[in-house]
Amino acid sequence: MVTIARHLNLTLVVPELDKKSFWADPSDFGEIFDVDHFINSLRDELMIVKELPLKLQLRTKKRLYSMPPVSWSNETYYLKRILPLARKHKVIHFDKSDSRLANNGLPIQLQMLRCRVNFEALRFTPQIEALGKKLVSTLQRNGQFVVLHLRYEMDMLSFSGCTHGCSSKETEELTRMRYAYPWWKEKEIDSEAKRLQGLCPLTPEEITLVLKALGFTEDTLIYIASGEIYGGERRLAALKAAYPKLVRKEKILSPDELRPFQNHSTQMAALDYMVSLASDIFIPSYDGNMARVVEGHRRYMGFRKTIVLDRKKLVELLDLFQGGALSWDEFSGAVKEAHKSRMGQPTERKIIPGQPKEEDYFYANPQECLGSNGGLRDVS
């Protein structure tokens, strides 16, 4: 949105966040991000205001022109289609803002600005930063640590239709939930077919085998970044048995320290984001938005190690191993081989013309912004 506003020479109003979806998080943008830093650090690029001027507030109370921009659009679309609307209506409200700008084919200056916004202008509030730093320093005192971004929350499983490893009662519960949310368009989902295509998050039990196969020993300190795991402690039993040094923010911080963040899932996720960024190795079990942005941010910080799991290959290997067709050594060797080039090292973003949802996400690998050691490269 910043990049689009800059390109069209428009003023941006600090974003409002969705508070109606599954999470029902009442947090405002300013309760997650440092708004003054956001505005001031981009002052040389565009004007950002906290709210509309009074005259425009009165005008928009009568009628606000609201629309979703077309997904994955390039800069020409915004110049030719959106700018005339902004001039006509004076204020234009985007009611959807995710994935509205193309991954590829944009001028280098716009791509660089996207990086500057995401990795430098967006800073968490002082309260989140202070607690996040405490989490990180506590973990670092114990040596190296791995962050496992374990996407196995109820909403993720319901939305994706992935029920492998769930009981029939749990599957019914997840299906009921999917039908209850009208904005989740896909209702009838073949869980096993989706899993075999690599489109499901790995289960905690599957992740345990994968970590062992990759060579992580039982004394590895693992921080779990996630919301509430569906199935609770029962589903984490195998992971805990294999890795006794398994921790979460709730185990490191006191209830008093976490109390201000309770019932604010986005602020809790911000803490996990900080720990994920600082970890020695980051392993996401699913490629949602947070996992992708952390991956890209870690590249930006000097290509820190991120193991991007090949879920399609892993599901195939897991089924062969658990079915007795592969020995442990064969399974472990195949898992290691499949991930040799998936460790967050410099690589070209995969481009698929006409299929933006299938290609690599810009923020996961913002190659235009990366020098040989990561960081914002000089294009002056």
Side-chain angles (χ1 to χ4, degrees):
M1 294 297 107
V2 169
T3 304
I4 291 160
R6 169 69 184 87
H7 189 56
L8 302 183
N9 200 21
L10 299 174
T11 296
L12 179 76
V13 181
V14 167
E16 288 182 2
L17 302 183
D18 163 35
K19 297 175 185 177
K20 295 175 187 165
S21 64
F22 173 83
W23 301 277
D25 183 346
S27 301
D28 289 317
F29 186 87
E31 292 175 281
I32 300 162
F33 298 108
D34 183 332
V35 176
D36 289 333
H37 175 76
F38 177 60
I39 292 171
N40 294 331
S41 66
L42 294 167
R43 190 157 271 160
D44 61 327
E45 291 285 357
L46 80 165
M47 183 179 280
I48 302 173
V49 295
K50 292 181 181 178
E51 57 184 12
L52 283 172
L54 189 59
K55 188 174 158 187
L56 288 174
Q57 282 185 37
L58 294 170
R59 179 181 177 140
T60 55
K61 268 185 182 165
K62 292 175 190 166
R63 185 162 180 268
L64 173 63
Y65 185 78
S66 190
M67 64 166 291
V70 174
S71 297
W72 313 108
S73 297
N74 62 20
E75 80 281 11
T76 310
Y77 163 82
Y78 286 97
L79 275 173
K80 291 189 173 174
R81 301 290 298 277
I82 301 300
L83 187 56
L85 290 170
R87 283 178 176 150
K88 179 183 174 183
H89 298 282
K90 304 302 178 199
V91 177
I92 186 165
H93 172 247
F94 289 159
D95 56 14
K96 287 196 169 72
S97 62
D98 57 317
S99 309
R100 303 292 140 172
L101 200 54
N103 289 312
N104 303 294
L106 298 178
I108 185 80
Q109 294 86 347
L110 295 185
Q111 299 289 56
M112 297 285 284
L113 180 56
R114 294 171 89 174
C115 289
R116 184 178 161 192
V117 175
N118 218 32
F119 305 134
E120 301 199 4
L122 283 174
R123 183 188 286 170
F124 295 124
T125 63
Q127 295 88 339
I128 291 173
E129 288 273 334
L131 204 54
K133 283 174 182 168
K134 181 175 181 180
L135 269 171
V136 169
S137 64
T138 304
L139 287 159
Q140 286 175 337
R141 277 201 298 274
N142 292 292
Q144 293 201 328
F145 71 96
V146 175
V147 165
L148 174 61
H149 187 231
L150 189 59
R151 288 310 316 270
Y152 210 74
E153 301 96 341
M154 188 179 188
D155 65 299
M156 163 52 65
L157 299 178
S158 177
F159 171 74
S160 63
C162 296
T163 56
H164 183 76
C166 293
S167 66
S168 55
K169 188 179 173 186
E170 287 171 330
T171 301
E172 283 170 26
E173 182 180 41
L174 294 168
T175 305
R176 271 199 312 276
M177 180 181 176
R178 187 164 63 253
Y179 276 89
Y181 283 88
W183 51 85
W184 291 352
K185 300 287 186 285
E186 203 179 357
K187 302 297 182 188
E188 284 296 319
I189 299 173
D190 182 337
S191 174
E192 277 310 304
K194 205 166 177 182
R195 176 179 173 268
L196 293 172
Q197 291 173 292
L199 299 175
C200 284
L202 294 175
T203 68
E205 295 84 0
E206 288 172 333
I207 274 286
T208 305
L209 290 170
V210 170
L211 291 175
K212 282 184 177 177
L214 285 167
F216 289 98
T217 54
E218 69 172 354
D219 62 346
T220 306
L221 175 59
I222 299 178
Y223 175 95
I224 293 188
S226 76
E228 190 176 340
I229 299 299
Y230 188 60
E233 293 302 308
R234 176 178 59 83
R235 294 307 301 270
L236 286 172
L239 192 57
K240 278 186 169 174
Y243 297 100
K245 291 167 76 173
L246 197 69
V247 294
R248 302 179 66 161
K249 54 187 168 295
E250 292 84 357
K251 194 171 175 181
I252 298 172
L253 299 171
S254 71
D256 283 347
E257 287 173 310
L258 277 175
R259 194 164 289 118
F261 304 93
Q262 293 294 347
N263 304 317
H264 294 83
S265 56
T266 317
Q267 294 180 49
M268 290 288 230
L271 294 171
D272 282 343
Y273 189 99
M274 287 187 68
V275 179
S276 299
L277 215 53
S279 63
D280 295 283
I281 302 173
F282 175 65
I283 308 172
S285 68
Y286 191 66
D287 55 357
N289 285 333
M290 176 165 154
R292 288 168 173 161
V293 179
V294 170
E295 180 192 345
H297 205 155
R298 287 173 66 84
R299 288 178 186 276
Y300 183 81
M301 292 170 72
F303 298 103
R304 291 187 172 178
K305 191 170 182 179
T306 299
I307 304 179
V308 182
L309 300 176
D310 183 343
R311 290 188 308 280
K312 187 175 181 183
K313 185 67 181 173
L314 284 172
V315 164
E316 179 194 327
L317 292 172
L318 283 159
D319 287 351
L320 287 170
F321 170 65
Q322 291 178 313
L326 287 180
S327 68
W328 174 258
D329 287 346
E330 288 169 330
F331 171 67
S332 179
V335 169
K336 284 177 181 146
E337 182 63 31
H339 292 86
K340 273 200 309 196
S341 61
R342 301 175 70 93
M343 299 281 178
Q345 55 266 68
T347 181
E348 290 287 310
R349 212 166 47 239
K350 183 175 70 180
I351 300 172
I352 308 174
Q355 291 181 276
K357 283 180 88 169
E358 308 305 317
E359 64 189 11
D360 289 344
Y361 187 60
F362 170 79
Y363 291 109
N365 183 11
Q367 62 195 37
E368 295 88 338
C369 310
L370 307 178
S372 56
N373 298 312
L376 204 57
R377 70 182 184 136
D378 184 15
V379 290
S380 55

